[in-house]
Amino acid sequence: DAGVIQSPRHEVTEMGQEVTLRCKPISGHDYLFWYRQTMMRGLELLIYFNNNVPIDDSGMPEDRFSAKMPNASFSTLKIQPSEPRDSAVYFCASGGAGVETQYFGPGTRLLVL
Amino acid sequence: AQSVTQLDSHVSVSEGTPVLLRCNYSSSYSPSLFWYVQHPNKGLQLLLKYTSAATLVKGINGFEAEFKKSETSFHLTKPSAHMSDAAEYFCVVSESNYQLIWGAGTKLIIKP
């Protein structure tokens, strides 16, 4: 199994641009999570899905952030418009039903200038 | 409400000496507890987990952790540190519903 796949691994963009982060969970996992990691705030859960349905998006910082999961093998996290304070590492993780362990992707390092 | 406290933001040990990373939690129910490791510029990897079976849990790379309910602790230990153990370690608690509560992390520094 290739594990959780995230793309791109690095993204540099200018303030105001739209950013789309992508995630492919482990096949068969029913849960998908998006996290953000910064030095100041540590690791924060943004949103998670169960069977492609968003369950809890209370961690999404503001309306500029949106996440979708159109099918069981793909999810996106979009930031529009991006701001310098969005600079962080964004992790996607997946987990299987009945198993609490989450498996993390390598992360996307986002820098907004 | 659940919470996790990692008592040390940084721990520095010499190579070959024991490692102790401390974690205390609060939980209303019987929690599941995890330790994750993050090497520099890498993703998060599960080190070990406790899910109400044996209280002493063995993980990868020679790490182990002991669940002590009376002390609400889940400290991570390793008998002998290796240079490759230098990383940040996160203690995590989960009661249900896949919501993980993360500690702030402890940076482990290994001195040659």
Side-chain angles (χ1 to χ4, degrees), chain B residues 1-65:
Chain B
Q2 305 167 78
S3 68
V4 179
T5 303
Q6 291 185 242
L7 297 159
D8 306 293
S9 60
H10 293 79
V11 169
S12 180
V13 302
S14 297
E15 190 176 18
T17 64
V19 175
L20 170 64
L21 305 184
R22 299 181 293 166
C23 172
N24 286 100
Y25 69 93
S26 68
S27 174
S28 304
Y29 306 102
S30 296
S32 295
L33 293 155
F34 308 79
W35 278 96
Y36 281 84
V37 61
Q38 185 176 29
H39 287 91
N41 300 312
K42 295 288 178 66
L44 288 142
Q45 182 184 19
L46 179 68
L47 207 53
L48 51 79
K49 64 179 178 181
Y50 165 79
T51 54
S52 74
T55 56
L56 183 62
V57 182
K58 293 189 185 301
I60 61 172
N61 302 333
F63 284 93
E64 60 183 37

Side-chain angles (χ1 to χ4, degrees), chain A residues 9 31 33 35 37 39 43 45 48 55-56 58 91 95-107 109, chain B residues 32 34 36 38 40-46 49-51 88 90 94-100 102-104 107:
Chain A
R9 294 293 306 277
Y31 287 80
F33 307 80
Y35 290 87
Q37 186 179 36
M39 290 290 292
L43 199 65
L45 176 64
Y48 79 94
I55 302 301
D56 184 352
S58 59
F91 288 103
V99 177
E100 287 178 286
T101 306
Q102 296 180 17
Y103 295 86
F104 284 77
R109 193 172 294 273
Chain B
S32 295
F34 308 79
Y36 281 84
Q38 185 176 29
N41 300 312
K42 295 288 178 66
L44 288 142
Q45 182 184 19
L46 179 68
K49 64 179 178 181
Y50 165 79
T51 54
E88 189 160 18
F90 294 90
S94 172
E95 285 185 351
S96 65
N97 207 27
Y98 290 85
Q99 290 269 28
L100 301 184
W102 293 75
K107 281 193 169 62

Side-chain angles (χ1 to χ4, degrees), chain A residues 19-96:
Chain A
V19 175
T20 300
L21 310 182
R22 297 174 177 79
C23 176
K24 179 178 174 13
I26 292 172
S27 177
H29 280 186
D30 297 326
Y31 287 80
L32 185 138
F33 307 80
W34 282 102
Y35 290 87
R36 177 172 69 175
Q37 186 179 36
T38 62
M39 290 290 292
M40 292 296 293
R41 300 173 68 92
L43 199 65
E44 304 171 276
L45 176 64
L46 300 177
I47 184 171
Y48 79 94
F49 296 82
N50 178 217
N51 291 321
N52 314 337
V53 176
I55 302 301
D56 184 352
D57 65 355
S58 59
M60 295 285 261
E62 48 197 275
D63 292 346
R64 297 185 296 107
F65 285 70
S66 62
K68 293 182 179 179
M69 191 165 186
N71 58 61
S73 59
F74 184 65
S75 176
T76 59
L77 178 67
K78 189 173 293 189
I79 309 172
Q80 166 64 19
S82 58
E83 296 182 5
R85 60 193 169 118
D86 301 330
S87 298
V89 181
Y90 290 81
F91 288 103
C92 175
S94 70

